[in-house]
Amino acid sequence: MLLLLLAVASTVVALVTALTLRGFLISRLDGDLRASSRVLTRLGPLDPLLPPDAGGRLGPRPPDSLTAVLRDGSVVSAWVFTRDGGVQPVPPSEYPDLTSITVDRPPLSADLGPMGAYRLVAVSGGNGEVFVTGFTERPVRDTVARLVTTELIVATVTLLGAGLAGVALVRRELRPLERVAATAARVSTLPLDRGEVSLVERVPAADPRTEVGQVGAALNHMLDHVGAALEARQDSEMRLRQFVADASHELRTPLAAIRGYAELSRRGELSDEAAYALARISAQSERMTTLVEDLLLLARLDAGRPLERAEVDLTRLVVDAVSDAHAAGPDHRWQLALPEEPVTVPGDPLRIAQVLANLLANARTHTPTGTAVTVALAVEPTAARLDVVDNGPGVPPELLPHVFKRFARGSTSRSRANGSTGLGLAIVDAVVTAHGGAVRVASAPGRTAFTVHLPSDPPVRMPTRVLHLDPTGSPGTEPTPPRPQLR
């Protein structure tokens, strides 16, 4: 934009200068022309058949000057004095331009064709004669053309130099702003949503009197505020986690006592009302115990406590988990797709078993009876992959982004026969993350798939087999293609 404004200013200056110079040169040419015309008025009649300077009556004339004699409005003689001292007649085709000149009027410009543009003036010579005198405008035009060319060259060099200097100056002035942008970009990549955050990024100090310095100072002030808020959030989370862990730990003992006393009381003779009440107490205490155990596990995982590390036979865990799920949900159709050889991963066997149990319990409790649930195990170059797929009604779209959050509840569209703490999938996500893996879900009406990746040593791909559970719960096998289609 600045270069455009500078170019416009240069153009205006060049135009004004060229017009002013041309006006000045034309004015001086007109003065010379009037002086030359007054000489002709003192010479008397000229012989129209000879050049006007015949016999030296005119004396020396400037090169490219024109003299014409008109009688009764007609040109009788018109000559141009050449640079070599000779004369050249004006072509008759240009006579109309000469006869159009009015006596005693200001000089006018006329284009005489091949002879070029001339500045002409007419004076009366007596006896009906009119003398027309003219000077060529070529020197004026050449001078103005040289001026315009010079201005164009100077303007071009000036604009080029101004552009280069402007780029260098702008880059130097914007370098602090680039540091501000780099700092903001680094901060934007920090994981600020969870865990302890060390927000040490700051913008290097700049002159606070400049706009860039003020932006940097404002960003540093904002980062200080955000850092303090994150520290307060982390401190609050740590206190909350510690409270949950302590409360869960302390609740385990009284819950165990309640369950023990309830079981002990049910051994005696009780009325139907008392037996029912004790049964409900036992059931609710078991549910509360499960909730407390889940909360305690999440608190431990949040605190970063290390898990056991052992070689886990994932194939056996999958078979056992599906067998347990079949026993708990015989109205569902359970199917296994396993490699021919066992799949092992490093990890905590109890926690991985809990992941499997929670995923199958989620499929059982949130789908109607008769739903087919397929559990597939496969090996990949750097991980073991576990898929739990059902053909139930699917997860509501508004709930899908939150299924792994704590206490997330499904809508009534997914039927549930048993109560749920809302922590099952949160535990799945926490345990898998603690193992360095990842879990994701994809759902649509008629197909919901939970996929778990657990890191492992690079295995060899092997053919798979599909196991169906018959109504008695014992597994049977039948061959299937190497990669089962889970639909």
Side-chain angles (χ1 to χ4, degrees), residues 246-387:
D246 294 341
S248 300
H249 182 75
E250 293 299 328
L251 285 174
R252 297 172 73 185
T253 300
L255 286 174
I258 291 173
R259 293 178 60 188
Y261 281 118
E263 292 295 332
L264 181 63
S265 299
R266 293 172 64 182
R267 294 180 182 179
E269 295 294 332
L270 300 172
S271 63
D272 292 342
E273 292 80 1
Y276 177 76
L278 288 175
R280 296 303 302 156
I281 291 173
S282 298
Q284 294 303 317
S285 63
E286 289 178 2
R287 184 178 180 186
M288 186 175 294
T289 300
T290 301
L291 175 59
V292 168
E293 293 291 343
D294 290 345
L295 289 173
L296 184 59
L297 173 59
L298 288 173
R300 289 173 175 173
L301 293 175
D302 288 341
R305 296 189 182 181
L307 300 174
E308 293 185 11
R309 304 295 292 182
E311 201 69 21
V312 180
D313 187 347
L314 197 56
T315 304
R316 176 175 293 277
L317 289 183
V318 170
V319 172
D320 293 343
V322 173
S323 297
D324 295 342
H326 180 270
D331 294 331
H332 285 66
R333 293 183 289 117
W334 302 93
Q335 179 173 291
L336 276 172
L338 301 175
E340 293 291 343
E341 298 295 330
V343 177
T344 60
V345 295
D348 188 329
L350 294 179
R351 298 305 173 212
I352 295 178
Q354 188 172 8
V355 167
L356 294 169
N358 288 0
L359 289 175
L360 296 180
N362 179 76
R364 185 183 73 252
T365 58
H366 293 285
T367 56
T369 58
T371 299
V373 182
T374 302
V375 183
L377 184 62
V379 289
E380 294 184 345
T382 59
R385 172 174 171 170
L386 175 69
D387 293 289

Side-chain angles (χ1 to χ4, degrees), residues 370-446:
T371 299
V373 182
T374 302
V375 183
L377 184 62
V379 289
E380 294 184 345
T382 59
R385 172 174 171 170
L386 175 69
D387 293 289
V388 178
V389 184
D390 67 70
N391 61 354
V395 181
E398 65 275 8
L399 180 64
L400 199 59
H402 312 288
V403 292
F404 295 111
K405 294 184 178 180
R406 298 170 189 185
F407 300 106
R409 299 284 184 173
S411 66
T412 56
S413 62
R414 288 172 66 88
S415 65
R416 23 184 312 182
N418 300 314
S420 171
T421 63
L423 296 176
L425 293 181
I427 291 176
V428 169
D429 181 60
V431 171
V432 172
T433 301
H435 281 81
V439 58
R440 67 177 185 272
V441 60
S443 182

Side-chain angles (χ1 to χ4, degrees), residues 118-190:
Y118 273 76
R119 195 74 174 171
L120 302 175
V121 66
V123 295
S124 176
N127 299 324
E129 290 183 342
V130 174
F131 299 141
V132 177
T133 305
F135 288 159
T136 181
E137 293 184 4
R138 186 178 300 112
V140 175
R141 296 190 177 186
D142 291 345
T143 303
V144 173
R146 285 196 297 270
L147 174 65
V148 171
T149 302
T150 303
E151 288 178 334
L152 288 176
I153 295 174
V154 172
T156 302
V157 173
T158 302
L159 289 176
L160 182 59
L164 296 177
V167 170
L169 181 62
V170 169
R171 290 185 63 86
R172 182 176 67 85
E173 293 297 326
L174 291 183
R175 195 169 295 117
L177 191 59
E178 293 176 354
R179 292 195 290 267
V180 172
T183 300
R186 289 194 297 270
V187 171
S188 66
T189 61
L190 295 177

Side-chain angles (χ1 to χ4, degrees), residues 19-206:
L19 292 177
T20 302
L21 178 62
R22 184 181 185 280
F24 170 75
L25 294 177
I26 290 293
S27 176
R28 192 172 68 175
L29 184 63
D30 289 347
D32 295 340
L33 187 58
R34 290 189 184 95
S36 177
S37 66
R38 286 194 294 269
V39 173
L40 292 179
T41 60
R42 296 194 294 268
L43 294 179
L46 298 176
D47 187 350
L49 301 179
L50 297 175
D53 62 337
R57 297 176 62 191
L58 292 179
R61 302 290 290 170
D64 295 327
S65 63
L66 178 147
T67 301
V69 179
L70 283 67
R71 288 178 184 167
D72 299 327
S74 300
V75 177
V76 297
S77 177
W79 304 86
V80 172
F81 295 87
T82 61
R83 294 181 177 273
D84 56 4
V87 292
Q88 179 182 356
V90 176
S93 60
E94 307 301 330
Y95 286 176
D97 290 328
L98 300 177
T99 59
S100 64
I101 305 300
T102 304
V103 177
D104 297 329
R105 296 295 299 272
L108 296 176
S109 294
D111 187 0
L112 300 183
M115 308 187 74
Y118 273 76
R119 195 74 174 171
L120 302 175
V121 66
V123 295
S124 176
N127 299 324
E129 290 183 342
V130 174
F131 299 141
V132 177
T133 305
F135 288 159
T136 181
E137 293 184 4
R138 186 178 300 112
V140 175
R141 296 190 177 186
D142 291 345
T143 303
V144 173
R146 285 196 297 270
L147 174 65
V148 171
T149 302
T150 303
E151 288 178 334
L152 288 176
I153 295 174
V154 172
T156 302
V157 173
T158 302
L159 289 176
L160 182 59
L164 296 177
V167 170
L169 181 62
V170 169
R171 290 185 63 86
R172 182 176 67 85
E173 293 297 326
L174 291 183
R175 195 169 295 117
L177 191 59
E178 293 176 354
R179 292 195 290 267
V180 172
T183 300
R186 289 194 297 270
V187 171
S188 66
T189 61
L190 295 177
L192 305 179
D193 58 333
R194 65 180 63 185
E196 185 175 0
V197 179
S198 179
L199 194 58
V200 297
E201 295 288 346
R202 292 296 183 274
V203 178

